[in-house]
PDB file of all heavy atoms in Angstrom:
ATOM      1  N   GLN A 170      51.633 116.727  36.192  1.00 91.00           N
ATOM      2  CA  GLN A 170      51.679 115.314  36.280  1.00 91.00           C
ATOM      3  C   GLN A 170      50.905 114.665  35.134  1.00 91.00           C
ATOM      4  O   GLN A 170      51.062 113.556  34.796  1.00 91.00           O
ATOM      5  CB  GLN A 170      50.852 114.818  37.631  1.00 91.00           C
ATOM      6  CG  GLN A 170      51.599 115.406  38.913  1.00 91.00           C
ATOM      7  CD  GLN A 170      50.857 114.933  40.099  1.00 91.00           C
ATOM      8  OE1 GLN A 170      50.499 113.782  40.352  1.00 91.00           O
ATOM      9  NE2 GLN A 170      50.590 115.918  40.925  1.00 91.00           N
ATOM     10  N   TYR A 171      50.160 115.498  34.357  1.00 91.00           N
ATOM     11  CA  TYR A 171      49.370 115.022  33.280  1.00 91.00           C
ATOM     12  C   TYR A 171      49.588 116.030  32.126  1.00 91.00           C
ATOM     13  O   TYR A 171      48.627 116.708  31.659  1.00 91.00           O
ATOM     14  CB  TYR A 171      47.815 114.989  33.581  1.00 91.00           C
ATOM     15  CG  TYR A 171      47.597 114.285  34.993  1.00 91.00           C
ATOM     16  CD1 TYR A 171      47.482 114.954  36.173  1.00 91.00           C
ATOM     17  CD2 TYR A 171      47.465 113.010  34.930  1.00 91.00           C
ATOM     18  CE1 TYR A 171      47.289 114.349  37.333  1.00 91.00           C
ATOM     19  CE2 TYR A 171      47.292 112.248  36.202  1.00 91.00           C
ATOM     20  CZ  TYR A 171      47.136 112.942  37.296  1.00 91.00           C
ATOM     21  OH  TYR A 171      46.971 112.301  38.521  1.00 91.00           O
ATOM     22  N   PRO A 172      50.849 116.004  31.459  1.00 89.00           N
ATOM     23  CA  PRO A 172      51.096 117.019  30.531  1.00 89.00           C
ATOM     24  C   PRO A 172      50.499 116.684  29.130  1.00 89.00           C
ATOM     25  O   PRO A 172      50.666 117.685  28.253  1.00 89.00           O
ATOM     26  CB  PRO A 172      52.668 116.827  30.449  1.00 89.00           C
ATOM     27  CG  PRO A 172      52.922 115.405  30.759  1.00 89.00           C
ATOM     28  CD  PRO A 172      51.857 115.103  31.817  1.00 89.00           C
ATOM     29  N   GLU A 173      49.866 115.683  28.918  1.00 90.00           N
ATOM     30  CA  GLU A 173      49.422 115.370  27.572  1.00 90.00           C
ATOM     31  C   GLU A 173      47.969 115.856  27.271  1.00 90.00           C
ATOM     32  O   GLU A 173      47.376 115.613  26.155  1.00 90.00           O
ATOM     33  CB  GLU A 173      49.401 113.868  27.185  1.00 90.00           C
ATOM     34  CG  GLU A 173      50.819 113.289  27.302  1.00 90.00           C
ATOM     35  CD  GLU A 173      51.793 114.036  26.351  1.00 90.00           C
ATOM     36  OE1 GLU A 173      51.425 114.271  25.240  1.00 90.00           O
ATOM     37  OE2 GLU A 173      52.917 114.366  26.766  1.00 90.00           O
ATOM     38  N   TYR A 174      47.320 116.484  28.238  1.00 94.00           N
ATOM     39  CA  TYR A 174      46.049 116.989  28.041  1.00 94.00           C
ATOM     40  C   TYR A 174      45.872 118.437  27.428  1.00 94.00           C
ATOM     41  O   TYR A 174      46.771 119.188  27.711  1.00 94.00           O
ATOM     42  CB  TYR A 174      45.228 116.919  29.414  1.00 94.00           C
ATOM     43  CG  TYR A 174      44.769 115.541  29.855  1.00 94.00           C
ATOM     44  CD1 TYR A 174      45.553 114.860  30.743  1.00 94.00           C
ATOM     45  CD2 TYR A 174      43.668 114.980  29.402  1.00 94.00           C
ATOM     46  CE1 TYR A 174      45.339 113.567  31.104  1.00 94.00           C
ATOM     47  CE2 TYR A 174      43.307 113.672  29.796  1.00 94.00           C
ATOM     48  CZ  TYR A 174      44.149 112.972  30.718  1.00 94.00           C
ATOM     49  OH  TYR A 174      43.895 111.690  31.106  1.00 94.00           O
ATOM     50  N   GLU A 175      44.867 118.614  26.797  1.00 96.00           N
ATOM     51  CA  GLU A 175      44.517 120.024  26.212  1.00 96.00           C
ATOM     52  C   GLU A 175      43.998 120.781  27.370  1.00 96.00           C
ATOM     53  O   GLU A 175      42.987 120.308  28.139  1.00 96.00           O
ATOM     54  CB  GLU A 175      43.609 119.882  25.140  1.00 96.00           C
ATOM     55  CG  GLU A 175      44.083 119.218  23.777  1.00 96.00           C
ATOM     56  CD  GLU A 175      45.158 120.059  23.066  1.00 96.00           C
ATOM     57  OE1 GLU A 175      45.111 121.354  23.317  1.00 96.00           O
ATOM     58  OE2 GLU A 175      45.989 119.539  22.364  1.00 96.00           O
ATOM     59  N   ILE A 176      44.445 122.059  27.615  1.00 96.00           N
ATOM     60  CA  ILE A 176      43.958 122.824  28.729  1.00 96.00           C
ATOM     61  C   ILE A 176      43.406 124.128  28.088  1.00 96.00           C
ATOM     62  O   ILE A 176      44.051 124.929  27.249  1.00 96.00           O
ATOM     63  CB  ILE A 176      45.052 123.266  29.687  1.00 96.00           C
ATOM     64  CG1 ILE A 176      45.860 121.905  30.075  1.00 96.00           C
ATOM     65  CG2 ILE A 176      44.467 124.025  30.846  1.00 96.00           C
ATOM     66  CD1 ILE A 176      45.133 121.050  31.021  1.00 96.00           C
ATOM     67  N   ILE A 177      42.175 124.531  28.509  1.00 97.00           N
ATOM     68  CA  ILE A 177      41.528 125.697  28.011  1.00 97.00           C
ATOM     69  C   ILE A 177      41.277 126.535  29.155  1.00 97.00           C
ATOM     70  O   ILE A 177      40.619 126.116  30.192  1.00 97.00           O
ATOM     71  CB  ILE A 177      40.190 125.489  27.309  1.00 97.00           C
ATOM     72  CG1 ILE A 177      40.451 124.531  26.055  1.00 97.00           C
ATOM     73  CG2 ILE A 177      39.512 126.816  26.840  1.00 97.00           C
ATOM     74  CD1 ILE A 177      39.146 124.109  25.250  1.00 97.00           C
ATOM     75  N   VAL A 178      41.767 127.757  29.161  1.00 98.00           N
ATOM     76  CA  VAL A 178      41.537 128.740  30.251  1.00 98.00           C
ATOM     77  C   VAL A 178      40.555 129.828  29.726  1.00 98.00           C
ATOM     78  O   VAL A 178      40.837 130.472  28.634  1.00 98.00           O
ATOM     79  CB  VAL A 178      42.874 129.457  30.702  1.00 98.00           C
ATOM     80  CG1 VAL A 178      42.580 130.385  31.822  1.00 98.00           C
ATOM     81  CG2 VAL A 178      43.929 128.365  31.055  1.00 98.00           C
ATOM     82  N   SER A 179      39.445 129.949  30.316  1.00 98.00           N
ATOM     83  CA  SER A 179      38.444 130.823  29.837  1.00 98.00           C
ATOM     84  C   SER A 179      38.084 131.951  30.919  1.00 98.00           C
ATOM     85  O   SER A 179      37.940 131.557  32.063  1.00 98.00           O
ATOM     86  CB  SER A 179      37.216 130.089  29.376  1.00 98.00           C
ATOM     87  OG  SER A 179      36.628 129.323  30.488  1.00 98.00           O
ATOM     88  N   GLY A 180      37.818 133.064  30.412  1.00 97.00           N
ATOM     89  CA  GLY A 180      37.374 134.187  31.309  1.00 97.00           C
ATOM     90  C   GLY A 180      36.034 134.487  30.972  1.00 97.00           C
ATOM     91  O   GLY A 180      35.538 134.538  29.936  1.00 97.00           O
ATOM     92  N   HIS A 181      35.280 134.927  32.170  1.00 97.00           N
ATOM     93  CA  HIS A 181      33.863 135.225  32.179  1.00 97.00           C
ATOM     94  C   HIS A 181      33.569 136.480  33.055  1.00 97.00           C
ATOM     95  O   HIS A 181      34.212 136.665  34.056  1.00 97.00           O
ATOM     96  CB  HIS A 181      32.940 134.131  32.592  1.00 97.00           C
ATOM     97  CG  HIS A 181      33.281 132.802  31.876  1.00 97.00           C
ATOM     98  ND1 HIS A 181      32.567 132.408  30.912  1.00 97.00           N
ATOM     99  CD2 HIS A 181      34.214 131.902  32.112  1.00 97.00           C
ATOM    100  CE1 HIS A 181      32.935 131.212  30.437  1.00 97.00           C
ATOM    101  NE2 HIS A 181      33.977 130.850  31.117  1.00 97.00           N
ATOM    102  N   THR A 182      32.585 137.259  32.612  1.00 97.00           N
ATOM    103  CA  THR A 182      32.243 138.416  33.389  1.00 97.00           C
ATOM    104  C   THR A 182      30.638 138.452  33.587  1.00 97.00           C
ATOM    105  O   THR A 182      29.976 137.575  33.109  1.00 97.00           O
ATOM    106  CB  THR A 182      32.580 139.741  32.630  1.00 97.00           C
ATOM    107  OG1 THR A 182      31.758 139.981  31.487  1.00 97.00           O
ATOM    108  CG2 THR A 182      34.091 139.847  32.243  1.00 97.00           C
ATOM    109  N   ASP A 183      30.210 139.365  34.398  1.00 96.00           N
ATOM    110  CA  ASP A 183      28.878 139.615  34.458  1.00 96.00           C
ATOM    111  C   ASP A 183      28.345 140.461  33.411  1.00 96.00           C
ATOM    112  O   ASP A 183      29.139 140.761  32.438  1.00 96.00           O
ATOM    113  CB  ASP A 183      28.469 140.121  35.876  1.00 96.00           C
ATOM    114  CG  ASP A 183      29.059 141.464  36.252  1.00 96.00           C
ATOM    115  OD1 ASP A 183      29.507 142.161  35.131  1.00 96.00           O
ATOM    116  OD2 ASP A 183      29.319 141.826  37.449  1.00 96.00           O
ATOM    117  N   ASN A 184      27.192 140.926  33.458  1.00 96.00           N
ATOM    118  CA  ASN A 184      26.576 141.856  32.226  1.00 96.00           C
ATOM    119  C   ASN A 184      26.704 143.315  32.555  1.00 96.00           C
ATOM    120  O   ASN A 184      26.025 144.050  31.781  1.00 96.00           O
ATOM    121  CB  ASN A 184      25.120 141.307  31.903  1.00 96.00           C
ATOM    122  CG  ASN A 184      24.182 141.734  33.125  1.00 96.00           C
ATOM    123  OD1 ASN A 184      24.617 141.960  34.190  1.00 96.00           O
ATOM    124  ND2 ASN A 184      22.946 141.607  32.744  1.00 96.00           N
ATOM    125  N   GLU A 185      27.419 143.686  33.708  1.00 95.00           N
ATOM    126  CA  GLU A 185      27.556 145.061  33.766  1.00 95.00           C
ATOM    127  C   GLU A 185      28.544 145.606  32.772  1.00 95.00           C
ATOM    128  O   GLU A 185      29.704 145.062  32.663  1.00 95.00           O
ATOM    129  CB  GLU A 185      28.093 145.218  35.230  1.00 95.00           C
ATOM    130  CG  GLU A 185      27.200 144.909  36.335  1.00 95.00           C
ATOM    131  CD  GLU A 185      26.021 145.952  36.400  1.00 95.00           C
ATOM    132  OE1 GLU A 185      26.178 147.196  36.138  1.00 95.00           O
ATOM    133  OE2 GLU A 185      24.887 145.479  36.734  1.00 95.00           O
ATOM    134  N   PRO A 186      28.151 146.618  31.974  1.00 94.00           N
ATOM    135  CA  PRO A 186      29.094 147.186  30.917  1.00 94.00           C
ATOM    136  C   PRO A 186      30.293 147.694  31.543  1.00 94.00           C
ATOM    137  O   PRO A 186      30.307 148.288  32.732  1.00 94.00           O
ATOM    138  CB  PRO A 186      28.178 148.090  30.230  1.00 94.00           C
ATOM    139  CG  PRO A 186      27.149 148.586  31.215  1.00 94.00           C
ATOM    140  CD  PRO A 186      26.914 147.306  32.100  1.00 94.00           C
ATOM    141  N   ILE A 187      31.447 147.672  30.820  1.00 93.00           N
ATOM    142  CA  ILE A 187      32.687 148.281  31.280  1.00 93.00           C
ATOM    143  C   ILE A 187      33.282 149.034  29.931  1.00 93.00           C
ATOM    144  O   ILE A 187      33.130 148.566  28.989  1.00 93.00           O
ATOM    145  CB  ILE A 187      33.633 147.263  31.786  1.00 93.00           C
ATOM    146  CG1 ILE A 187      34.934 147.942  32.335  1.00 93.00           C
ATOM    147  CG2 ILE A 187      33.978 146.198  30.696  1.00 93.00           C
ATOM    148  CD1 ILE A 187      35.872 147.027  32.951  1.00 93.00           C
ATOM    149  N   SER A 188      33.760 150.116  30.312  1.00 89.00           N
ATOM    150  CA  SER A 188      34.323 150.924  29.240  1.00 89.00           C
ATOM    151  C   SER A 188      35.402 151.833  29.878  1.00 89.00           C
ATOM    152  O   SER A 188      35.198 152.883  30.377  1.00 89.00           O
ATOM    153  CB  SER A 188      33.345 151.714  28.472  1.00 89.00           C
ATOM    154  OG  SER A 188      33.995 152.496  27.357  1.00 89.00           O
ATOM    155  N   THR A 189      36.747 151.428  29.861  1.00 91.00           N
ATOM    156  CA  THR A 189      37.796 152.192  30.403  1.00 91.00           C
ATOM    157  C   THR A 189      38.874 152.313  29.420  1.00 91.00           C
ATOM    158  O   THR A 189      38.774 151.815  28.227  1.00 91.00           O
ATOM    159  CB  THR A 189      38.376 151.377  31.623  1.00 91.00           C
ATOM    160  OG1 THR A 189      38.969 150.221  31.239  1.00 91.00           O
ATOM    161  CG2 THR A 189      37.185 151.120  32.645  1.00 91.00           C
ATOM    162  N   ARG A 190      39.905 152.977  29.763  1.00 91.00           N
ATOM    163  CA  ARG A 190      41.025 153.237  28.751  1.00 91.00           C
ATOM    164  C   ARG A 190      41.651 151.834  28.521  1.00 91.00           C
ATOM    165  O   ARG A 190      42.247 151.690  27.426  1.00 91.00           O
ATOM    166  CB  ARG A 190      42.020 154.188  29.421  1.00 91.00           C
ATOM    167  CG  ARG A 190      43.192 154.565  28.452  1.00 91.00           C
ATOM    168  CD  ARG A 190      44.008 155.630  29.110  1.00 91.00           C
ATOM    169  NE  ARG A 190      44.665 155.276  30.382  1.00 91.00           N
ATOM    170  CZ  ARG A 190      45.412 155.944  31.099  1.00 91.00           C
ATOM    171  NH1 ARG A 190      45.739 157.228  30.759  1.00 91.00           N
ATOM    172  NH2 ARG A 190      45.905 155.626  32.256  1.00 91.00           N
ATOM    173  N   GLU A 191      41.606 150.887  29.519  1.00 92.00           N
ATOM    174  CA  GLU A 191      42.312 149.680  29.285  1.00 92.00           C
ATOM    175  C   GLU A 191      41.409 148.666  28.675  1.00 92.00           C
ATOM    176  O   GLU A 191      41.918 147.830  27.757  1.00 92.00           O
ATOM    177  CB  GLU A 191      42.847 149.097  30.594  1.00 92.00           C
ATOM    178  CG  GLU A 191      43.647 147.867  30.535  1.00 92.00           C
ATOM    179  CD  GLU A 191      44.214 147.432  31.856  1.00 92.00           C
ATOM    180  OE1 GLU A 191      43.854 148.084  32.884  1.00 92.00           O
ATOM    181  OE2 GLU A 191      45.015 146.417  31.914  1.00 92.00           O
ATOM    182  N   PHE A 192      40.032 148.616  29.055  1.00 95.00           N
ATOM    183  CA  PHE A 192      39.111 147.693  28.607  1.00 95.00           C
ATOM    184  C   PHE A 192      38.045 148.337  27.922  1.00 95.00           C
ATOM    185  O   PHE A 192      37.228 149.017  28.584  1.00 95.00           O
ATOM    186  CB  PHE A 192      38.704 146.688  29.699  1.00 95.00           C
ATOM    187  CG  PHE A 192      39.844 146.014  30.349  1.00 95.00           C
ATOM    188  CD1 PHE A 192      40.173 146.315  31.650  1.00 95.00           C
ATOM    189  CD2 PHE A 192      40.621 145.096  29.656  1.00 95.00           C
ATOM    190  CE1 PHE A 192      41.239 145.710  32.311  1.00 95.00           C
ATOM    191  CE2 PHE A 192      41.775 144.438  30.387  1.00 95.00           C
ATOM    192  CZ  PHE A 192      41.945 144.890  31.710  1.00 95.00           C
TER     193      PHE A 192
END
Side-chain angles (χ1 to χ4, degrees):
Q170 302 175 51
Y171 310 95
E173 299 304 319
Y174 285 95
E175 296 287 336
I176 309 293
I177 299 176
V178 182
S179 57
H181 303 263
T182 68
D183 58 25
N184 66 347
E185 292 291 326
I187 184 173
S188 180
T189 65
R190 184 173 61 181
E191 187 176 4
F192 305 112

